[in-house]
Amino acid sequence: MRDYPADPASREEVLIRASGDVVKARQTVRLLAQQAGLSLVNQTKLVTAASELGRNTLIYGGGGSAEAAVVRDMARVGVWVRFTDTGPGIPDVDLALTDGWTSGSGMGLGLSGARRLVDEFELRSEPGVGTTVTVLKWAR
């Protein structure tokens, strides 16, 4: 994913250690989406993706962090969010992004569903090192 200039005043970080932190990350993303002028539908898509990714950070990554900011690219404004953990990593990223596949008791829509809800999606993972998922949603 390309780097976009972030509005420094909008940059937020939330440590994810418990389920309440996932809620806080989701609220932070919603506030930034409102500030960036995303439509209600696109706010909901981004917040849903952030909720799924935050939950994955907590459950599968053992906790981590979420960073978010309003970003700009020429006339476009959007919200960039990155989830990072130092958990066990994902041994097969392609498999993990397959609809219906789950490593737990979920419905298998977390990563693939989150990818469909945003405009840009990047997943980097290394077994034994951790996982970073970065998403971006542009205002229309």
Side-chain angles (χ1 to χ4, degrees):
M1 179 180 298
R2 191 176 136 216
D3 283 331
Y4 298 97
D7 175 358
S10 74
R11 192 171 209 90
E12 298 280 345
E13 182 172 7
V14 177
L15 294 179
I16 299 175
R17 302 283 185 251
S19 59
D21 299 328
V22 175
V23 172
K24 184 176 178 185
R26 189 171 58 226
Q27 291 169 336
T28 297
V29 168
R30 180 173 302 282
L31 181 62
L32 291 176
Q34 290 168 346
Q35 291 174 3
L38 272 69
S39 69
L40 183 56
V41 168
N42 284 330
Q43 288 177 37
T44 302
K45 287 179 179 181
L46 180 60
V47 170
T48 300
S51 183
E52 288 293 325
L53 297 171
R55 182 180 165 279
N56 284 357
T57 299
L58 178 62
I59 293 172
Y60 301 111
S65 65
E67 295 176 77
V70 174
V71 295
R72 300 187 184 281
D73 180 37
M74 309 277 278
R76 294 192 303 176
V77 178
V79 178
W80 165 94
V81 189
R82 178 173 58 206
F83 293 87
T84 305
D85 69 61
T86 55
I90 301 170
D92 188 338
V93 170
D94 290 333
L95 180 61
L97 287 169
T98 302
D99 283 345
W101 184 85
T102 180
S103 64
S105 60
M107 294 174 13
L109 297 175
L111 288 174
S112 63
R115 180 171 60 176
R116 281 193 305 274
L117 292 170
V118 297
D119 298 317
E120 298 185 32
F121 180 97
E122 179 180 78
L123 187 153
R124 293 182 182 193
S125 188
E126 186 176 337
V129 176
T131 301
T132 299
V133 181
T134 307
V135 298
L136 190 135
K137 188 73 174 168
W138 294 109
R140 306 240 185 281

